[in-house]
Amino acid sequence: MTVTGNLNETKYLAIDYGLKRIGIAVSDASKVISFPRDYILNDAGTSDKIIDIIRNDNIIKVVLGLPSEKSGFSGAVREFSEKLSAKIKLNNLNCEIVFYDESFTSTIAEYKMRESVTKKKNRKVKGTIDSLAAYVLLQDFLDHEHNFSKDVPR
């Protein structure tokens, strides 16, 4: 595993995949709090940009939002995941990819946006919802992981 900092400073990355934009969020080193990052345009260099984030932020787990089968979008997410997984292996990074249900993350993100951004025109900024959806996805994953680990005997 190629880690540029202290192993205890590893983090998780959440990806809210979209055909035009990809929302990004990264956890803190304790893997308790999620922070939204700028979105990435979905283009030919997307995988390379994500690989850079994995390297620079010492990411050990990628949480990829999986839409419901009804949306018809899960195939595109799985295809993206396979390409990203191949890139991770090619770059000798020890980073696990997990799928996590992204149901309602965009709806929650839109609600949070309305709640915190007072000017209506600022709520329409493209990409902000994508990053907030990734933030919601990662925070839900982190909360679930921490709650589950408390129930498991050590």
Side-chain angles (χ1 to χ4, degrees), residues 86-121:
K87 271 272 196 191
I88 288 170
K89 287 177 185 167
L90 184 67
N91 284 277
N92 294 318
L93 298 170
N94 187 15
C95 183
E96 176 185 10
I97 296 178
V98 296
F99 291 103
Y100 196 72
D101 181 14
E102 72 169 14
S103 299
F104 306 111
T105 56
S106 292
T107 304
I108 294 167
E110 287 172 9
Y111 175 78
K112 286 184 178 294
M113 175 79 88
R114 280 195 306 274
E115 201 175 58
S116 63
V117 178
T118 54
K119 290 188 179 183
K120 193 172 185 174
K121 73 175 188 173

Side-chain angles (χ1 to χ4, degrees), residues 2-150:
T2 308
V3 176
T4 57
N6 183 338
L7 190 57
N8 293 329
E9 295 175 4
T10 59
K11 301 173 186 171
Y12 291 174
L13 167 70
I15 297 175
D16 181 60
Y17 180 83
L19 294 176
K20 293 182 182 178
R21 291 172 305 279
I22 296 175
I24 300 291
V26 175
S27 74
D28 64 335
S30 63
K31 298 164 196 73
V32 172
I33 301 172
S34 172
F35 297 97
R37 293 273 182 93
D38 287 339
Y39 66 90
I40 296 173
L41 288 176
N42 192 352
D43 57 23
T46 298
S47 293
D48 292 330
K49 293 172 194 170
I50 292 173
I51 292 296
D52 287 344
I53 294 169
I54 291 170
R55 272 200 188 105
N56 295 335
D57 287 290
N58 299 324
I59 302 296
I60 59 168
K61 188 175 287 189
V62 175
V63 180
L64 189 55
L66 185 63
S68 71
E69 293 290 331
K70 293 180 202 172
S71 72
F73 198 55
S74 61
V77 173
R78 289 204 186 274
E79 183 180 325
F80 170 76
S81 137
E82 289 168 7
K83 288 179 182 176
L84 182 59
S85 181
K87 271 272 196 191
I88 288 170
K89 287 177 185 167
L90 184 67
N91 284 277
N92 294 318
L93 298 170
N94 187 15
C95 183
E96 176 185 10
I97 296 178
V98 296
F99 291 103
Y100 196 72
D101 181 14
E102 72 169 14
S103 299
F104 306 111
T105 56
S106 292
T107 304
I108 294 167
E110 287 172 9
Y111 175 78
K112 286 184 178 294
M113 175 79 88
R114 280 195 306 274
E115 201 175 58
S116 63
V117 178
T118 54
K119 290 188 179 183
K120 193 172 185 174
K121 73 175 188 173
N122 291 343
R123 290 186 218 151
K124 302 280 184 192
V125 177
K126 294 189 184 279
T128 304
I129 292 293
D130 301 307
S131 292
L132 283 176
Y135 154 79
V136 170
L137 174 74
L138 183 55
Q139 191 61 57
D140 189 49
F141 179 84
L142 294 170
D143 292 346
H144 181 265
E145 192 173 70
H146 284 279
N147 288 335
F148 179 73
S149 68
K150 289 178 184 174

